[in-house]
Amino acid sequence: MGTLLDGIDSPQDLKNLTGDELDRLAQEIRTLLIDYCRRYGGHLGSNLAVVEATIALHRVFDLPHDHLVFDVSHQAYTHKILTGRKQAFTNPERFGGVSGFTSPEESEYDDFVLGHTGTSISLACGLAKTRDLAGGTGNVIAFIGDGALSSGPAFEGLNWAAEQGGNLIIVVNDNEMSIAENHGGLYRSLAALRATGGQSERNPFRDLNLDYRYVEEGNSIGPLVQAFSEIKDIDHPVVVHIHTRKGLGLGQGRSEEPGAGADEPTLPALPAEGQVEANHWQNGIKANSKAANSRKVYGRMAMQALQPRFQNEPGLVVISPATPLSNGIDPEFRSEAGRHYLDVGIAESHAVAFAAGLAKAGGTPVVATSSTFFQRAYDQIEQEMAINGSAITLLNFSTGISGTDATHSGASDIAMMNSIPGLTCLAPGSGDDFLRMLAWATGPARRPVVIRVPGERILASERAAGLPDTLEGRLSMEPGMAPDSNHSGTGTDSQDPWNSYGIVRKGNTVAILGLGDMLPQACRVADSLRERAGINATVMDPHQYSHPDLTTLQALDRNHRLVVTMEDGQLLGGWGQGIAASCESNTIQVLTFGADKEINDRVPLTILNQRYGLNTEVMTDSIISALQGRD
Amino acid sequence: MGTLLDGIDSPQDLKNLTGDELDRLAQEIRTLLIDYCRRYGGHLGSNLAVVEATIALHRVFDLPHDHLVFDVSHQAYTHKILTGRKQAFTNPERFGGVSGFTSPEESEYDDFVLGHTGTSISLACGLAKTRDLAGGTGNVIAFIGDGALSSGPAFEGLNWAAEQGGNLIIVVNDNEMSIAENHGGLYRSLAALRATGGQSERNPFRDLNLDYRYVEEGNSIGPLVQAFSEIKDIDHPVVVHIHTRKGLGLGQGRSEEPGAGADEPTLPALPAEGQVEANHWQNGIKANSKAANSRKVYGRMAMQALQPRFQNEPGLVVISPATPLSNGIDPEFRSEAGRHYLDVGIAESHAVAFAAGLAKAGGTPVVATSSTFFQRAYDQIEQEMAINGSAITLLNFSTGISGTDATHSGASDIAMMNSIPGLTCLAPGSGDDFLRMLAWATGPARRPVVIRVPGERILASERAAGLPDTLEGRLSMEPGMAPDSNHSGTGTDSQDPWNSYGIVRKGNTVAILGLGDMLPQACRVADSLRERAGINATVMDPHQYSHPDLTTLQALDRNHRLVVTMEDGQLLGGWGQGIAASCESNTIQVLTFGADKEINDRVPLTILNQRYGLNTEVMTDSIISALQGRD
């Protein structure tokens, strides 16, 4: 069947379409996006909001001579479809052939690999400035919205734009909502601007001395084309505020229900947990049959453990800089938690500094987000948290090597956190220890603590051992049933029960230290050593990666010839190398397993494990070989 | 002689003073501050601006029940004087007895140790939120200004404040200038508010849905007391915008000149490089006779090296997120550089993302600031710079251990930067290599590079060798005169001349690797080994700390029994441990010298060197002992 999209291989092909054809093309793309995300998954809601705006931008501007920088770039699907990459959305066999973000490796129409929030304006300022310094031409456009505007980097960029001058177009994609909710006073000004057709006196953009236009019909190509045409080749920075609808085209109810619009496709098969979040990230059909991932399981367990305490601990609060649901902070919890839950929006610097204030006044803040998002608060973690000794607990999700895209890869989380003095860095080897660590950090510790939330390896091993996915399920088990009850903190330091390495299995010759998510792997390698070489290895749970436990390591000397460290992050600057260096003057040898220091983009975990020698067989081989070399 | 200040031992003593007495007290404190900074040094200009505001705050509010958070806290001298710490300002023998920033260890009137910009509002939000959750009382005040308002963290805090609600007072100290200059559209709105007595429609605070008051007479106690009294115990967040004068009380000219006010003390003896900067950080009298420090010498040299290229390289730009002068980017250079120099204000996230845009369009950005300020751009260094392979050069000043305060200590700069994959991390062992690295990074490299600017150890050794402090002076030397010409990059990788370790002295038995500023120390220890043990040690200049040079290390095996690494930063997560771990399976032993992972606040460098065993004698002892242990 012939579609308009069949004839679109580059933005040039848009130039001769009529207005009606452009509208039909938008409908085709919208239907395609819904089908694609239904099958494969993706940022559905944000992409549905910007179909028309993206078409209009490509109709008016001339990429790649002109430049378009999508903030976060999670909403660039239509852009990809229009710039020669539609096969990755139309052909199920090629799903996954392009990344979920812009990528210069994929296309000359993409300038940057982006996956974090708020930098598009600064990036566009840079593109425009070099253009002006070099005497070049062309429009530079930043496309930002969807919760990004309240982030510090976005403000710094906006504030600079006016000063820089010259051609610069900032499209503010105002879809009325952030990932979960918009937060902060800024969004009230946006609401006032929407309500007045852009006429409100309270205009945060004009206050920053930026020119300003408003387009109410942000999902109509005609008005968008007109607005963009009017400002094409403008000689100064301008904000074009467009009002879009997130998730447009998605039925708001089941098809059987009266709420669904007649002309809107409905998606009864789509998993949904609240309208907004279903629109944020849509899991594909295959995910339907899958059990929840480790982030959701352990995140939810943590929230369930905190919730009963709220009544008696007024200062105990959970802070989420957006994306709560991905971390198991589900709407039920948020509703129950009431004022004990604070979504501060995409503002990680604020989240940590805010938490330092909460803690100073006697409160007990828990800040939950992904490891790469904590990068955005490195300075506040070091200054307001660590130097100030603030009693904050960071719940660090999505740590360690994974098959994710480069911008969300947590492979250097250990190296980042353990570079900060004064921070207690914990890595639980089990779900139970995770909860014990959380209880300690939010209880007697009163110090800066970061806890790595258990990942897929621990989850798989606990499921295999018959442990339920919920706190309730675990609490209802018979005492002693939990197969990992011997993993508990064995430290002798009453000030910090996690200070000393714990013994999981007592053996000899080889001591295997499996940090956090690598503990199950350490046990497997120990099994393999026994089977293959008759070696009864010691297995240890280090609990923490702040500093080497020299006491325990030195005590090992007598019966062990080899210490093996295993971590699911980069070795250089990481945890195991500190242990290797500490043992340098000893007679004991140290073998470190971990990742190379490198950038990986969507490389499957199985391949990474193979590359880094993190499989049971390879690890066992290396250990046996090291022991033989030593003989 | 009796002064009003004699009777002030706590803020309580202000409560009964008359208005006249308060004014006289302000004069006394102003005179004291000028004398103190003249002798001892300090943030003179900022503190002079807020004498009256601080007195008024303490007169109206009741600390420590009420809480006052100074942003950056460099302007808290009057606060310290009023809260029991005046001796540290009046008694020369006790100068240095308090830090230049707030400190809970010093006083119950201080809540936080702060030295970085923009977090006061978030911190105050946190204090206020816990108060409200716990049902407490009292006012919480953030005191911010002086260039801090344009930083991303400050905006995130402002944006959140309105949403939080409840008592929160944000005093915006508008002294019309930042450290060097204010930058960004926001400051134009502030100017409009000043011009209209706070009535301008363009009000960025009201846009964030914050209540707002304006006080024109920000250096008059009466109006300030009145304004603060009116909003004391307010039930919602309010911004009090006060107009102050930075450096008030400092004569603007020499006493002989007509420009000096009759009633203003003038300071002909004070060193000054431009009015604003002299007001930013005032070096004490003792500094007058001192030569420039390493930041200024090598920073200026770098600028001198770049300047001749501007004419032919339109895209070559130097970006300074404020504090240019401290890094040798002096007014003469800025004036000559014209559009090749960009001060983006205190906005490090923007600075690096902006640079990524500049680089993508073919430009060559150099971003210059202190190592702890780069912490504020960790995410942009990792994402926009490293993942994107952006051809940015970071000039990293104030790295390594030092006697500075905790918030500005660069002791973990190596651990931070080397945790980031894709970043080439260079540490020159000489001023010449520094310039060669800069030329490479801003020339053929076209990749993400961070260069540690040489510090005091290299400067001292180069001065001792008779090298001039200026590029001009060095260029005018006879070829071959430079005693360190043999330090040049000896790498065989044409893609990166700094990839391989360079040989400074060829020897045997022991190979000493002195990273960057530790290279002179490596040479001294080699001398000492020869004298004391007749060992002719090899000395190597590693050039880089991105990754161990395994080829060179393995080639050492044959003639060397011990590798010694020396770095002036923390060992854990640092550089030497990576080398130790890499050599683990070899027969060669590795001894690592560096700092403990700990927070230090104004501990003199000599004490730190002693504590970490970084003195020639101790290092030599350790090496000899390690060799004997191995025999």
Side-chain angles (χ1 to χ4, degrees):
Chain A
M1 68 176 204
T3 65
L4 281 164
L5 191 53
D6 289 340
I8 308 292
D9 293 311
S10 91
Q12 204 53 39
D13 299 321
L14 292 176
K15 304 287 181 183
N16 298 319
L17 297 188
T18 65
D20 277 355
E21 286 170 331
L22 290 173
D23 290 341
R24 272 170 46 213
L25 179 66
Q27 277 313 311
E28 288 180 17
I29 291 175
R30 177 161 278 110
T31 306
L32 176 61
L33 288 177
I34 293 171
D35 191 56
Y36 168 80
C37 287
R38 183 163 178 265
R39 290 163 181 263
Y40 186 71
H43 284 99
L44 179 54
S46 347
N47 276 289
L48 289 176
V50 303
V51 174
E52 290 80 10
T54 309
I55 292 174
L57 284 166
H58 277 293
R59 167 71 168 227
V60 172
F61 296 99
D62 301 306
L63 274 65
H65 179 67
D66 293 329
H67 291 267
L68 172 57
V69 185
F70 286 100
D71 203 87
V72 196
S73 80
H74 63 300
Q75 76 293 58
Y77 295 1
T78 298
H79 166 76
K80 292 200 175 197
I81 289 168
L82 297 177
T83 53
R85 287 167 279 181
K86 66 184 174 192
Q87 293 285 335
F89 296 86
T90 56
N91 182 349
E93 286 177 14
R94 295 177 64 177
F95 285 176
V98 298
S99 88
F101 304 92
T102 53
S103 165
E105 284 187 14
E106 286 176 12
S107 170
E108 60 173 342
Y109 292 94
D110 296 2
D111 284 315
F112 300 101
V113 179
L114 299 176
H116 284 198
T117 299
T119 54
S120 61
I121 302 171
S122 298
L123 290 165
C125 284
L127 292 174
K129 186 74 181 176
T130 292
R131 173 201 63 200
D132 294 345
L133 288 169
T137 59
N139 294 271
V140 177
I141 305 145
F143 192 96
I144 185 170
D146 206 23
L149 215 54
S150 59
S151 74
F155 168 76
E156 291 183 357
L158 270 178
N159 187 45
W160 175 255
E163 167 139 344
Q164 171 163 314
N167 171 281
L168 181 72
I169 296 159
I170 300 164
V171 179
V172 170
N173 164 36
D174 179 2
N175 59 26
E176 294 185 46
M177 51 181 84
S178 179
I179 290 175
E181 309 164 52
N182 277 318
H183 286 282
L186 179 69
Y187 291 106
R188 296 197 216 166
S189 289
L190 292 187
L193 284 167
R194 289 195 304 269
T196 59
Q199 299 304 307
S200 162
E201 281 295 344
R202 294 207 182 166
N203 185 319
F205 307 109
R206 288 203 189 277
D207 279 354
L208 294 173
N209 281 277
L210 292 163
D211 194 2
Y212 173 85
R213 310 286 172 100
Y214 180 73
V215 181
E216 168 61 25
E217 299 291 331
N219 290 105
S220 295
I221 294 174
L224 289 166
V225 165
Q226 189 184 334
F228 294 146
S229 300
E230 283 168 13
I231 51 143
K232 189 178 181 181
D233 300 323
I234 195 168
D235 65 355
H236 59 271
V238 62
V239 167
V240 186
H241 177 186
I242 69 174
H243 184 193
T244 63
R245 189 169 139 210
K246 195 163 185 172
L248 179 64
L250 269 187
Q252 299 300 312
R254 308 296 188 194
S255 55
E256 303 85 345
E257 294 172 14
D263 57 345
E264 289 178 344
T266 55
L267 299 164
L270 279 173
E273 300 188 67
Q275 178 203 338
V276 179
E277 280 150 337
N279 291 351
H280 161 52
W281 176 268
Q282 188 62 55
N283 289 314
I285 281 175
K286 280 186 190 158
N288 280 353
S289 54
K290 280 192 187 164
N293 66 16
S294 58
R295 292 172 69 178
K296 293 199 179 184
V297 167
Y298 294 109
R300 190 174 287 147
M301 230 180 258
M303 296 307 115
Q304 289 172 331
L306 293 174
Q307 194 168 321
R309 296 167 51 185
F310 290 150
Q311 201 174 353
N312 296 318
E313 297 181 49
L316 179 62
V317 293
V318 174
I319 299 169
S320 175
T323 66
L325 189 64
S326 305
N327 300 326
I329 307 176
D330 53 38
E332 295 73 37
F333 167 79
R334 278 134 61 185
S335 159
E336 295 276 339
R339 59 191 200 156
H340 292 272
Y341 171 75
L342 297 165
D343 184 339
V344 297
I346 306 176
E348 293 85 358
S349 297
H350 167 68
V352 174
F354 179 49
L358 289 162
K360 182 72 194 182
T364 308
V366 176
V367 184
T369 196
S370 305
S371 64
T372 69
F373 296 159
F374 274 126
Q375 295 174 182
R376 300 163 69 83
Y378 185 98
D379 192 50
Q380 290 74 36
I381 296 172
E382 202 265 338
Q383 300 265 319
E384 279 72 19
M385 182 169 167
I387 289 180
N388 280 280
S390 304
I392 302 171
T393 302
L394 305 182
L395 291 186
N396 203 3
F397 289 83
S398 288
T399 59
I401 58 168
S402 72
T404 188
D405 74 286
T407 63
H408 296 92
S409 162
S412 56
D413 77 289
I414 295 172
M416 175 183 131
M417 291 293 186
N418 83 354
S419 73
I420 300 175
L423 189 62
T424 298
C425 305
L426 302 181
S430 70
D432 284 2
D433 269 1
F434 170 56
L435 297 176
R436 289 189 197 104
M437 287 173 178
L438 177 63
W440 176 73
T442 57
R446 295 305 301 166
R447 72 187 74 183
V449 179
V450 55
I451 308 177
R452 287 184 113 212
V453 178
E456 296 305 323
R457 291 180 190 81
I458 288 175
L459 182 59
S461 103
E462 298 201 329
R463 280 181 176 152
L467 282 171
D469 272 5
T470 62
L471 180 64
E472 201 177 28
R474 293 193 176 200
L475 290 176
S476 67
M477 292 178 77
E478 293 295 314
M481 281 279 289
D484 67 337
S485 55
N486 53 344
H487 289 184
S488 64
T490 54
T492 50
D493 177 356
S494 66
Q495 291 299 301
D496 178 357
W498 311 105
N499 196 36
S500 305
Y501 298 165
I503 309 278
V504 178
R505 297 187 197 172
K506 201 155 190 167
N508 54 57
T509 315
V510 181
I512 308 177
L513 282 63
L515 184 71
D517 237 41
M518 289 300 266
L519 188 57
Q521 180 64 17
C523 293
R524 272 194 297 276
V525 171
D527 291 343
S528 165
L529 277 173
R530 186 181 310 216
E531 280 164 30
R532 287 183 45 194
I535 295 167
N536 180 27
T538 294
V539 176
M540 306 190 79
D541 179 350
H543 303 309
Q544 52 86 10
Y545 55 100
S546 320
H547 60 89
D549 172 10
L550 295 178
T551 312
T552 302
L553 288 171
Q554 277 156 9
L556 276 177
D557 265 11
R558 300 171 220 138
N559 308 308
H560 295 79
R561 288 185 292 147
L562 180 67
V563 166
V564 178
T565 67
M566 298 183 183
E567 66 200 292
D568 64 333
Q570 81 183 25
L571 282 170
L572 220 61
W575 164 75
Q577 294 200 336
I579 290 172
S582 305
C583 295
E584 244 296 313
S585 56
N586 299 351
T587 53
I588 204 160
Q589 194 185 349
V590 181
L591 196 57
T592 56
F593 288 103
D596 290 349
K597 179 177 153 187
E598 61 179 0
I599 296 162
N600 285 302
D601 189 59
R602 294 172 301 136
V603 179
L605 191 54
T606 49
I607 292 180
L608 292 178
N609 282 334
Q610 200 166 13
R611 185 188 297 169
Y612 304 141
L614 300 181
N615 298 310
T616 306
E617 196 179 334
V618 176
M619 287 171 142
T620 310
D621 286 348
S622 302
I623 292 169
I624 292 171
S625 155
L627 287 170
Q628 286 166 347
R630 198 74 168 192
D631 286 337
Chain B
M1 69 175 203
T3 64
L4 281 163
L5 191 54
D6 289 340
I8 307 292
D9 293 312
S10 90
Q12 203 53 39
D13 297 324
L14 293 176
K15 305 287 181 186
N16 298 318
L17 297 189
T18 65
D20 277 354
E21 286 170 329
L22 290 173
D23 290 340
R24 272 170 46 213
L25 178 67
Q27 277 315 310
E28 287 180 15
I29 291 175
R30 175 161 280 111
T31 306
L32 176 62
L33 288 177
I34 293 171
D35 191 55
Y36 168 80
C37 286
R38 183 162 176 266
R39 291 161 180 263
Y40 186 71
H43 284 99
L44 179 55
S46 348
N47 277 289
L48 289 175
V50 304
V51 173
E52 290 79 10
T54 309
I55 292 173
L57 285 166
H58 277 293
R59 167 70 170 228
V60 172
F61 296 99
D62 302 306
L63 273 65
H65 180 65
D66 293 330
H67 292 267
L68 171 57
V69 185
F70 285 99
D71 203 86
V72 195
S73 80
H74 62 302
Q75 76 292 59
Y77 295 2
T78 298
H79 167 76
K80 292 200 175 196
I81 290 168
L82 298 176
T83 53
R85 288 168 277 182
K86 65 184 174 191
Q87 292 287 334
F89 296 85
T90 57
N91 182 350
E93 285 178 16
R94 294 176 66 176
F95 286 178
V98 300
S99 88
F101 305 93
T102 54
S103 165
E105 284 188 12
E106 287 175 12
S107 170
E108 60 172 341
Y109 292 95
D110 296 2
D111 284 315
F112 301 101
V113 179
L114 298 176
H116 283 198
T117 300
T119 53
S120 61
I121 302 171
S122 299
L123 290 164
C125 284
L127 292 173
K129 186 73 183 178
T130 292
R131 173 201 63 201
D132 294 345
L133 288 170
T137 59
N139 293 271
V140 177
I141 305 144
F143 192 96
I144 186 170
D146 205 25
L149 215 56
S150 58
S151 73
F155 168 76
E156 291 183 356
L158 270 179
N159 187 45
W160 175 256
E163 167 139 345
Q164 171 164 312
N167 171 282
L168 181 72
I169 296 160
I170 301 164
V171 179
V172 171
N173 163 35
D174 180 3
N175 58 26
E176 294 185 47
M177 51 182 85
S178 177
I179 290 176
E181 309 163 53
N182 276 317
H183 285 281
L186 179 68
Y187 291 105
R188 296 197 216 168
S189 290
L190 292 187
L193 284 166
R194 289 195 305 270
T196 59
Q199 300 303 309
S200 162
E201 282 293 345
R202 294 207 181 165
N203 185 318
F205 308 109
R206 289 204 188 275
D207 280 354
L208 294 174
N209 282 278
L210 293 162
D211 194 1
Y212 173 86
R213 310 286 172 100
Y214 181 74
V215 181
E216 169 60 24
E217 299 291 330
N219 290 105
S220 294
I221 294 175
L224 288 166
V225 165
Q226 187 183 336
F228 294 146
S229 300
E230 283 169 14
I231 52 146
K232 189 178 181 180
D233 300 322
I234 196 168
D235 65 355
H236 60 271
V238 61
V239 168
V240 185
H241 177 185
I242 68 174
H243 184 191
T244 62
R245 189 168 140 213
K246 195 164 184 171
L248 179 64
L250 268 188
Q252 300 300 309
R254 308 297 186 193
S255 55
E256 302 86 345
E257 292 173 15
D263 57 343
E264 289 178 344
T266 55
L267 297 165
L270 278 172
E273 299 189 67
Q275 178 204 337
V276 179
E277 280 151 337
N279 292 351
H280 160 52
W281 176 267
Q282 188 64 54
N283 289 311
I285 280 175
K286 280 187 192 158
N288 280 353
S289 54
K290 279 191 187 165
N293 65 16
S294 58
R295 292 172 68 178
K296 294 198 179 185
V297 168
Y298 293 109
R300 190 174 287 147
M301 230 181 259
M303 296 306 115
Q304 289 173 330
L306 293 173
Q307 194 168 321
R309 296 168 52 186
F310 290 151
Q311 198 174 356
N312 297 317
E313 298 182 48
L316 180 62
V317 293
V318 174
I319 299 169
S320 174
T323 67
L325 189 64
S326 304
N327 300 325
I329 307 176
D330 53 38
E332 296 74 38
F333 167 79
R334 279 134 60 184
S335 160
E336 295 275 339
R339 58 190 201 158
H340 292 272
Y341 171 74
L342 298 163
D343 184 339
V344 297
I346 305 176
E348 293 84 359
S349 297
H350 167 68
V352 174
F354 179 48
L358 289 162
K360 181 72 193 182
T364 307
V366 176
V367 184
T369 196
S370 305
S371 64
T372 69
F373 296 159
F374 274 127
Q375 294 175 181
R376 302 164 67 83
Y378 185 99
D379 193 49
Q380 289 74 36
I381 295 172
E382 202 267 336
Q383 300 264 320
E384 279 72 19
M385 182 171 167
I387 290 180
N388 280 279
S390 304
I392 302 171
T393 302
L394 306 181
L395 292 186
N396 203 4
F397 289 82
S398 287
T399 59
I401 57 169
S402 72
T404 187
D405 74 286
T407 63
H408 295 93
S409 162
S412 56
D413 77 290
I414 295 171
M416 174 183 132
M417 291 293 186
N418 84 354
S419 73
I420 299 175
L423 189 62
T424 298
C425 305
L426 302 181
S430 69
D432 285 1
D433 269 2
F434 170 55
L435 296 176
R436 289 189 196 103
M437 288 174 178
L438 177 62
W440 176 73
T442 57
R446 295 305 300 167
R447 73 188 71 181
V449 179
V450 56
I451 308 177
R452 287 184 114 211
V453 179
E456 296 305 323
R457 290 181 190 81
I458 289 176
L459 181 58
S461 102
E462 300 201 330
R463 280 180 176 153
L467 281 172
D469 271 6
T470 62
L471 180 64
E472 202 178 28
R474 294 195 176 199
L475 290 176
S476 69
M477 292 178 77
E478 293 295 313
M481 280 280 289
D484 66 336
S485 56
N486 54 344
H487 290 183
S488 64
T490 54
T492 52
D493 179 356
S494 66
Q495 291 298 300
D496 179 357
W498 312 105
N499 196 36
S500 305
Y501 298 165
I503 309 279
V504 178
R505 297 188 197 173
K506 202 154 191 167
N508 54 56
T509 315
V510 181
I512 309 177
L513 281 63
L515 184 71
D517 238 41
M518 289 301 265
L519 188 56
Q521 181 65 16
C523 293
R524 272 194 295 276
V525 171
D527 291 343
S528 166
L529 277 173
R530 186 181 312 215
E531 282 163 30
R532 287 183 44 195
I535 295 167
N536 180 28
T538 294
V539 177
M540 306 190 79
D541 179 350
H543 303 309
Q544 52 86 11
Y545 55 99
S546 321
H547 60 88
D549 171 10
L550 295 179
T551 312
T552 302
L553 289 172
Q554 277 155 9
L556 277 178
D557 265 10
R558 299 170 223 138
N559 309 307
H560 295 79
R561 288 185 292 148
L562 180 67
V563 166
V564 178
T565 67
M566 299 183 182
E567 65 200 293
D568 64 333
Q570 82 183 25
L571 282 170
L572 220 61
W575 163 75
Q577 293 200 334
I579 290 172
S582 305
C583 295
E584 244 296 314
S585 56
N586 300 351
T587 52
I588 203 159
Q589 195 186 348
V590 181
L591 196 57
T592 56
F593 288 102
D596 290 350
K597 179 178 153 186
E598 62 179 0
I599 297 163
N600 285 303
D601 189 59
R602 296 171 301 136
V603 179
L605 190 55
T606 49
I607 292 180
L608 292 178
N609 283 333
Q610 200 167 13
R611 185 188 297 169
Y612 304 143
L614 300 181
N615 298 311
T616 306
E617 195 180 333
V618 176
M619 287 172 143
T620 310
D621 285 349
S622 301
I623 291 169
I624 292 172
S625 155
L627 287 169
Q628 285 166 347
R630 199 74 169 193
D631 285 337

